[in-house]
Amino acid sequence: MIKTMEQITTIAEMRIHIKEAKRQGQRIGIVPTMGFLHEGHISLVKAAREICDLVVMSIFVNPLQFGPNEDFERYPRNIERDTELASEAGVDLLFTPDVSEMYPRPILTTVSVANVTAPLCGASRPGHFDGVATVVTKLFQIVQPDYAFFGQKDAQQVAVITQMVADLSMPIQIVPCPIIREADGLAMSSRNVYLSPEERQQALVLSASLRQANEWLDEGITLGEIKERVVQKINEMPLAKIDYVEVLGFPDLEPIEKEAAGQGIIIALAVYFGKTRLIDNLITQIR
Ligand code: PAF
Protein backbone atom coordinates (compact mmCIF):
# COMPACT_ATOMS: atom_id res chain seq x y z
CA MET A 1 0.00 0.00 0.00
CA ILE A 2 1.39 3.40 -0.94
CA LYS A 3 0.92 5.81 1.92
CA THR A 4 0.55 9.44 0.97
CA MET A 5 2.14 12.16 3.03
CA GLU A 6 -0.08 14.61 4.85
CA GLN A 7 0.92 18.19 5.43
CA ILE A 8 -0.18 19.66 8.72
CA THR A 9 0.09 23.29 9.75
CA THR A 10 -1.62 23.46 13.14
CA ILE A 11 -0.75 22.00 16.53
CA ALA A 12 -4.37 20.96 17.10
CA GLU A 13 -4.46 18.91 13.90
CA MET A 14 -1.12 17.29 14.70
CA ARG A 15 -2.40 16.26 18.13
CA ILE A 16 -5.36 14.44 16.53
CA HIS A 17 -3.01 12.40 14.31
CA ILE A 18 -0.66 11.65 17.20
CA LYS A 19 -3.49 10.55 19.48
CA GLU A 20 -4.66 8.05 16.86
CA ALA A 21 -1.13 6.78 16.19
CA LYS A 22 -0.58 6.28 19.94
CA ARG A 23 -3.92 4.47 20.22
CA GLN A 24 -2.70 2.08 17.52
CA GLY A 25 0.57 1.57 19.41
CA GLN A 26 2.69 3.06 16.63
CA ARG A 27 6.31 4.01 17.24
CA ILE A 28 6.63 7.67 16.38
CA GLY A 29 9.80 9.28 15.05
CA ILE A 30 10.47 12.97 14.50
CA VAL A 31 12.98 14.58 12.16
CA PRO A 32 13.09 18.25 13.18
CA THR A 33 14.40 20.51 10.39
CA MET A 34 14.42 24.08 9.21
CA GLY A 35 13.73 22.95 5.64
CA PHE A 36 15.63 23.57 2.40
CA LEU A 37 16.15 19.85 2.51
CA HIS A 38 19.27 18.08 1.31
CA GLU A 39 20.56 14.52 1.49
CA GLY A 40 21.58 14.98 5.11
CA HIS A 41 17.92 15.46 6.05
CA ILE A 42 16.88 12.57 3.79
CA SER A 43 19.34 10.28 5.60
CA LEU A 44 17.57 11.18 8.87
CA VAL A 45 14.23 10.19 7.37
CA LYS A 46 15.73 6.89 6.19
CA ALA A 47 17.03 6.19 9.69
CA ALA A 48 13.60 7.03 11.10
CA ARG A 49 11.83 4.79 8.57
CA GLU A 50 13.95 1.85 9.76
CA ILE A 51 12.70 1.93 13.34
CA CYS A 52 9.45 3.92 13.37
CA ASP A 53 5.90 3.28 12.17
CA LEU A 54 5.01 6.94 11.85
CA VAL A 55 7.65 9.39 10.61
CA VAL A 56 7.00 13.07 11.26
CA MET A 57 9.19 15.76 9.77
CA SER A 58 8.90 19.33 10.98
CA ILE A 59 9.97 22.27 8.85
CA PHE A 60 10.12 25.43 10.89
CA VAL A 61 12.67 28.22 10.64
CA ASN A 62 12.75 29.04 14.32
CA PRO A 63 13.27 32.76 14.98
CA LEU A 64 14.23 32.06 18.63
CA GLN A 65 17.54 30.47 17.65
CA PHE A 66 18.78 33.30 15.43
CA GLY A 67 20.68 36.29 16.83
CA PRO A 68 19.70 39.84 15.79
CA ASN A 69 22.47 40.02 13.17
CA GLU A 70 22.08 36.49 11.88
CA ASP A 71 20.40 35.11 8.78
CA PHE A 72 16.79 34.45 9.92
CA GLU A 73 15.28 36.60 7.17
CA ARG A 74 17.47 35.29 4.36
CA TYR A 75 17.57 31.65 5.54
CA PRO A 76 16.77 29.67 2.35
CA ARG A 77 13.19 28.43 2.04
CA ASN A 78 11.50 26.32 -0.64
CA ILE A 79 8.46 24.59 0.74
CA GLU A 80 7.22 23.18 -2.61
CA ARG A 81 10.48 21.39 -3.26
CA ASP A 82 10.76 20.29 0.39
CA THR A 83 7.25 18.81 0.24
CA GLU A 84 8.21 16.72 -2.78
CA LEU A 85 11.50 15.55 -1.25
CA ALA A 86 9.91 14.71 2.10
CA SER A 87 7.16 12.72 0.43
CA GLU A 88 9.63 10.79 -1.75
CA ALA A 89 11.81 10.06 1.29
CA GLY A 90 8.89 8.43 3.09
CA VAL A 91 7.69 11.06 5.56
CA ASP A 92 4.15 10.36 6.79
CA LEU A 93 3.31 13.70 8.37
CA LEU A 94 4.96 16.96 7.35
CA PHE A 95 4.51 19.59 10.03
CA THR A 96 4.90 23.14 8.68
CA PRO A 97 3.54 25.55 11.27
CA ASP A 98 4.07 29.26 10.76
CA VAL A 99 5.63 31.50 13.38
CA SER A 100 2.24 32.66 14.73
CA GLU A 101 1.16 29.04 15.24
CA MET A 102 4.30 28.17 17.24
CA TYR A 103 4.57 31.52 19.04
CA PRO A 104 1.09 33.10 19.13
CA ARG A 105 2.28 35.46 21.87
CA PRO A 106 5.74 36.40 23.18
CA ILE A 107 7.21 33.28 24.73
CA LEU A 108 8.15 33.71 28.42
CA THR A 109 9.43 30.20 29.02
CA THR A 110 12.89 29.15 27.89
CA VAL A 111 14.63 25.81 28.14
CA SER A 112 18.27 26.47 28.91
CA VAL A 113 20.95 23.80 29.17
CA ALA A 114 24.18 24.71 30.99
CA ASN A 115 27.83 23.65 30.43
CA VAL A 116 27.52 21.80 27.09
CA THR A 117 26.20 25.06 25.62
CA ALA A 118 29.18 27.10 26.89
CA PRO A 119 31.92 26.42 24.28
CA LEU A 120 31.92 26.35 20.46
CA CYS A 121 28.70 27.66 18.83
CA GLY A 122 27.28 28.49 22.26
CA ALA A 123 30.11 30.98 22.77
CA SER A 124 29.81 32.55 19.30
CA ARG A 125 26.02 32.57 19.13
CA PRO A 126 24.65 33.73 22.49
CA GLY A 127 21.12 32.46 23.09
CA HIS A 128 21.22 30.10 20.11
CA PHE A 129 20.95 26.88 22.08
CA ASP A 130 18.20 28.27 24.33
CA GLY A 131 16.24 28.84 21.13
CA VAL A 132 17.00 25.33 19.89
CA ALA A 133 16.21 23.62 23.22
CA THR A 134 12.97 25.57 23.56
CA VAL A 135 11.64 24.85 20.08
CA VAL A 136 12.71 21.20 20.23
CA THR A 137 10.89 20.85 23.56
CA LYS A 138 7.78 22.34 21.96
CA LEU A 139 8.05 19.97 18.99
CA PHE A 140 8.52 17.03 21.37
CA GLN A 141 5.42 18.12 23.32
CA ILE A 142 3.38 18.39 20.13
CA VAL A 143 4.54 15.18 18.42
CA GLN A 144 5.34 13.06 21.52
CA PRO A 145 7.89 11.00 19.59
CA ASP A 146 9.56 7.82 20.81
CA TYR A 147 12.63 8.65 18.70
CA ALA A 148 14.15 11.89 17.44
CA PHE A 149 16.77 12.05 14.68
CA PHE A 150 19.52 14.68 14.46
CA GLY A 151 22.58 15.05 12.25
CA GLN A 152 26.06 14.98 13.79
CA LYS A 153 27.14 18.00 11.76
CA ASP A 154 25.51 19.90 14.60
CA ALA A 155 27.32 17.76 17.17
CA GLN A 156 26.90 20.31 19.94
CA GLN A 157 23.16 20.48 19.23
CA VAL A 158 22.99 16.69 19.64
CA ALA A 159 24.88 16.98 22.95
CA VAL A 160 22.51 19.72 24.16
CA ILE A 161 19.34 17.82 23.22
CA THR A 162 20.66 14.57 24.69
CA GLN A 163 21.44 16.35 27.97
CA MET A 164 18.03 18.06 27.99
CA VAL A 165 16.11 14.84 27.38
CA ALA A 166 18.02 13.10 30.19
CA ASP A 167 17.72 16.00 32.64
CA LEU A 168 13.98 16.50 32.06
CA SER A 169 13.16 12.76 31.88
CA MET A 170 11.66 13.07 28.41
CA PRO A 171 10.78 9.53 27.24
CA ILE A 172 12.54 10.00 23.91
CA GLN A 173 15.49 8.21 22.37
CA ILE A 174 17.83 10.63 20.57
CA VAL A 175 19.35 9.07 17.46
CA PRO A 176 22.47 10.88 16.16
CA CYS A 177 23.13 10.27 12.45
CA PRO A 178 26.44 10.65 10.57
CA ILE A 179 27.41 13.76 8.62
CA ILE A 180 26.50 13.49 4.93
CA ARG A 181 29.02 15.07 2.56
CA GLU A 182 29.10 16.18 -1.06
CA ALA A 183 31.35 14.04 -3.28
CA ASP A 184 34.18 16.56 -2.77
CA GLY A 185 33.90 16.43 1.03
CA LEU A 186 31.89 19.57 1.82
CA ALA A 187 29.47 18.78 4.65
CA MET A 188 25.89 19.19 3.44
CA SER A 189 24.16 22.26 4.80
CA SER A 190 21.20 24.36 3.72
CA ARG A 191 23.55 27.35 4.03
CA ASN A 192 25.89 26.04 1.28
CA VAL A 193 23.66 27.80 -1.29
CA TYR A 194 24.93 31.15 0.02
CA LEU A 195 28.47 30.37 -1.16
CA SER A 196 29.94 31.94 -4.31
CA PRO A 197 31.87 29.46 -6.51
CA GLU A 198 35.18 30.75 -5.08
CA GLU A 199 33.96 30.50 -1.50
CA ARG A 200 32.62 27.01 -2.10
CA GLN A 201 35.97 25.91 -3.54
CA GLN A 202 37.90 27.32 -0.58
CA ALA A 203 35.39 25.86 1.90
CA LEU A 204 36.74 22.41 0.99
CA VAL A 205 39.56 23.25 3.39
CA LEU A 206 37.23 22.37 6.29
CA SER A 207 36.73 18.71 5.46
CA ALA A 208 40.28 18.46 4.08
CA SER A 209 41.81 19.74 7.32
CA LEU A 210 39.67 17.33 9.38
CA ARG A 211 40.86 14.43 7.20
CA GLN A 212 44.42 15.55 7.78
CA ALA A 213 43.83 15.93 11.51
CA ASN A 214 42.74 12.31 11.54
CA GLU A 215 46.04 11.31 9.94
CA TRP A 216 47.97 13.47 12.39
CA LEU A 217 46.22 11.66 15.23
CA ASP A 218 47.46 8.37 13.74
CA GLU A 219 50.98 9.81 13.76
CA GLY A 220 50.69 10.63 17.45
CA ILE A 221 50.84 14.43 17.00
CA THR A 222 49.59 16.23 20.14
CA LEU A 223 46.14 17.84 20.16
CA GLY A 224 47.62 21.31 20.68
CA GLU A 225 49.83 20.89 17.62
CA ILE A 226 46.96 19.48 15.55
CA LYS A 227 44.82 22.48 16.42
CA GLU A 228 47.61 24.86 15.35
CA ARG A 229 48.10 23.03 12.05
CA VAL A 230 44.36 23.08 11.30
CA VAL A 231 44.24 26.83 12.01
CA GLN A 232 47.24 27.35 9.73
CA LYS A 233 45.74 25.30 6.92
CA ILE A 234 42.42 27.14 7.05
CA ASN A 235 44.18 30.52 7.18
CA GLU A 236 45.90 29.68 3.89
CA MET A 237 42.51 30.28 2.25
CA PRO A 238 42.17 34.02 1.60
CA LEU A 239 38.36 33.98 1.87
CA ALA A 240 38.27 32.04 5.16
CA LYS A 241 37.80 33.79 8.50
CA ILE A 242 37.97 31.45 11.48
CA ASP A 243 35.28 31.75 14.14
CA TYR A 244 36.70 28.85 16.15
CA VAL A 245 38.84 25.75 15.86
CA GLU A 246 38.56 23.66 19.02
CA VAL A 247 39.53 20.24 20.25
CA LEU A 248 37.39 19.13 23.20
CA GLY A 249 36.46 15.94 25.00
CA PHE A 250 33.49 14.11 23.53
CA PRO A 251 30.67 13.79 24.43
CA ASP A 252 31.11 16.11 27.41
CA LEU A 253 32.61 19.02 25.39
CA GLU A 254 34.96 19.75 28.30
CA PRO A 255 38.60 20.80 27.84
CA ILE A 256 40.97 17.83 27.77
CA GLU A 257 43.14 17.87 30.87
CA LYS A 258 45.43 14.99 30.02
CA GLU A 259 45.72 13.26 26.65
CA ALA A 260 45.13 9.52 26.97
CA ALA A 261 44.65 6.85 24.28
CA GLY A 262 40.99 5.93 23.87
CA GLN A 263 39.75 9.33 25.07
CA GLY A 264 36.79 10.51 22.91
CA ILE A 265 37.40 13.87 21.26
CA ILE A 266 35.74 16.28 18.87
CA ILE A 267 37.65 18.54 16.53
CA ALA A 268 35.11 21.25 15.75
CA LEU A 269 35.37 24.11 13.26
CA ALA A 270 33.30 27.18 12.48
CA VAL A 271 34.58 29.35 9.66
CA TYR A 272 33.13 32.29 7.75
CA PHE A 273 33.36 32.46 3.98
CA GLY A 274 32.04 35.94 3.26
CA LYS A 275 28.88 36.27 5.34
CA THR A 276 28.33 32.51 5.42
CA ARG A 277 29.30 30.67 8.56
CA LEU A 278 29.99 26.97 8.02
CA ILE A 279 30.60 24.32 10.66
CA ASP A 280 32.11 20.88 10.44
CA ASN A 281 33.60 18.39 12.89
CA LEU A 282 35.36 15.12 13.40
CA ILE A 283 34.38 12.89 16.32
CA THR A 284 37.07 10.35 17.08
CA GLN A 285 39.44 9.28 19.79
CA ILE A 286 43.06 9.74 20.80
CA ARG A 287 45.14 6.81 19.44
O1 PAF B 1 19.14 21.61 13.25
C1 PAF B 1 18.17 22.32 12.95
O2 PAF B 1 17.77 22.41 11.77
C2 PAF B 1 17.47 23.13 14.01
O3 PAF B 1 18.38 23.61 14.94
C3 PAF B 1 16.32 22.37 14.68
C4 PAF B 1 16.83 21.15 15.44
C5 PAF B 1 15.31 21.95 13.65
C6 PAF B 1 15.62 23.28 15.70
O4 PAF B 1 15.07 24.40 15.09
Side-chain angles (χ1 to χ4, degrees), residues 4-56:
T4 53
M5 185 179 80
E6 271 198 62
Q7 187 173 350
I8 293 171
T9 56
T10 67
I11 296 169
E13 202 190 337
M14 180 57 81
R15 290 205 198 282
I16 294 170
H17 282 270
I18 295 302
K19 201 169 174 187
E20 178 56 19
K22 295 267 181 204
R23 198 188 60 76
Q24 292 180 16
Q26 294 189 353
R27 270 170 311 200
I28 301 173
I30 185 169
V31 178
T33 82
M34 299 204 300
F36 214 71
L37 302 179
H38 50 67
E39 279 178 48
H41 299 112
I42 303 305
S43 76
L44 303 179
V45 175
K46 284 196 185 128
R49 263 287 49 112
E50 298 260 312
I51 51 176
C52 299
D53 305 302
L54 185 79
V55 176
V56 181

Side-chain angles (χ1 to χ4, degrees), residues 229-251:
R229 290 187 188 187
V230 169
V231 167
Q232 221 171 33
K233 201 170 151 62
I234 296 172
N235 280 336
E236 280 166 19
M237 294 298 149
L239 299 177
K241 194 171 154 283
I242 292 177
D243 178 5
Y244 63 72
V245 172
E246 286 289 353
V247 185
L248 295 174
F250 190 85

